[in-house]
Amino acid sequence: METFFMSGLIPFDLFASWGYKIVIVIVALGPLIFIHELGHFSIAKILGIGVERFSLGFGPKLIGKKVGETEYLISVFPLGGYVKLIGEDPEEECQDLERSFSAAAIWKRLSVVIAGPLFNMMAAILIFAIIFMVGFPTMSTRIGEVKEGSPAMSGGIKKGDKIISVDGKRFDQWDKLADMIRSNPGKEMTFVIEKESGEIFQTMIAPIPEKIKNLFGEEIEVGLIGIIAEGEIIKESYNPAVALLKGIEITWKLTKFTIL
């Protein structure tokens, strides 16, 4: 097999690259689809709607066992899974109308449908909360470079300095500091700086308004002061209550970002 790939007809490194991407897709999407279908399955069971089949994966059955009315399967292709509800297809003959999805009250059907994405959101919140509890790497506010003639240089900021706060708001993470500066073009703000020696000083700096394009290609105005991060990595972690709130916050932000 390897000789065939190395002959030049199909480069082996190209095959390996695509194989790696396929594995990544399966690993990433598989659990998401499974959790999504688990949501449909769980709420259907709770509301008394019959479930004929719940499969881990797609395609031909590898192994399966029927428990009550539901057949639980492991199928050949490990990309997520699927749920088949009793009476899901209104054109199929249904022997159990009382437990049929099609005959269920509208609020029950709606609950089953919504349960999929809701379970995905709950899973995302939980994953982010765990990450925030364990701790995640982020860049500190230490400065690696100050551009010549920039507002930062005029304000006395030098390489190696660390920005502690802006307008009384404390910053430990570079991305949040960058958001603060970018969202205030032209506004003079109070920067509290810590030098490498430990000395603290205060300076007034007004970010220069500049036009840039965002992820959608739209031209927006942001504020820049002419600094580049040093790349110093710190670890941020939070207690369970704060981590849960942050998990909800970032999940909501990502959800809003995907809705156009």
Side-chain angles (χ1 to χ4, degrees):
M1 184 70 74
E2 186 172 339
T3 304
F4 176 74
F5 288 123
M6 294 300 290
S7 67
L9 296 176
I10 301 178
F12 184 73
D13 58 344
L14 178 61
F15 174 79
S17 173
W18 274 104
Y20 176 75
K21 290 176 182 177
I22 291 171
V23 171
I24 291 296
V25 169
I26 291 174
V27 171
L29 290 183
L32 291 177
I33 297 172
F34 177 73
I35 291 170
H36 184 93
E37 297 301 326
L38 182 63
H40 297 315
F41 169 82
S42 302
I43 299 303
K45 284 285 190 181
I46 290 171
L47 297 179
I49 296 173
V51 180
E52 289 184 18
R53 192 174 300 119
F54 181 43
S55 176
L56 177 59
F58 290 94
K61 177 176 72 174
L62 288 177
I63 57 173
K65 183 177 181 180
K66 193 165 185 177
V67 180
E69 68 185 3
T70 306
E71 184 182 16
Y72 298 88
L73 309 174
I74 296 179
S75 301
V76 171
F77 304 109
L79 186 59
Y82 69 91
V83 171
K84 188 175 189 306
L85 306 175
I86 292 176
E88 184 176 351
D89 186 349
E91 296 183 1
E92 287 185 2
E93 185 178 348
C94 181
Q95 302 296 329
D96 189 356
L97 289 175
E98 289 185 3
R99 297 175 59 74
S100 167
F101 175 77
S102 298
I106 292 177
W107 71 268
K108 287 187 177 183
R109 283 180 281 164
L110 186 61
S111 297
V112 172
V113 172
I114 292 175
L118 184 61
F119 266 52
N120 282 137
M121 289 188 69
M122 290 168 60
I125 290 170
L126 180 60
I127 291 169
F128 281 125
I130 291 172
I131 292 172
F132 281 120
M133 280 192 292
V134 173
F136 62 97
T138 184
M139 283 195 299
S140 75
T141 57
R142 192 171 298 281
I143 297 162
E145 183 181 336
V146 181
K147 294 183 179 180
E148 287 287 338
S150 66
M153 178 168 283
S154 300
I157 295 178
K158 296 181 179 179
K159 177 180 178 180
D161 291 350
K162 189 174 184 179
I163 298 176
I164 303 299
S165 69
V166 180
D167 278 352
K169 185 175 181 181
R170 186 176 179 85
F171 290 96
D172 299 309
Q173 301 172 31
W174 185 270
D175 59 338
K176 293 182 179 179
L177 171 66
D179 286 343
M180 176 72 167
I181 294 172
R182 285 172 175 263
S183 60
N184 287 282
K187 178 187 175 183
E188 191 172 55
M189 298 186 291
T190 304
F191 285 70
V192 176
I193 313 296
E194 180 184 0
K195 304 194 75 62
E196 287 186 291
S197 63
E199 177 190 350
I200 304 292
F201 76 96
Q202 182 173 299
T203 183
M204 302 296 291
I205 300 173
I208 295 176
E210 188 164 319
K211 299 285 186 179
I212 65 167
K213 288 187 177 181
N214 62 18
L215 291 173
F216 304 104
E218 301 168 332
E219 193 174 74
I220 59 172
E221 186 178 72
V222 299
L224 300 175
I225 64 172
I227 57 175
I228 297 174
E230 183 185 69
E232 177 185 54
I233 300 298
I234 58 174
K235 189 176 181 181
E236 291 285 333
S237 60
Y238 303 90
N239 64 55
V242 175
L244 180 61
L245 290 174
K246 286 189 170 291
I248 294 171
E249 179 186 1
I250 193 170
T251 301
W252 176 242
K253 285 182 178 179
L254 290 173
T255 301
K256 286 198 299 181
F257 183 75
T258 58
I259 300 174
L260 301 178

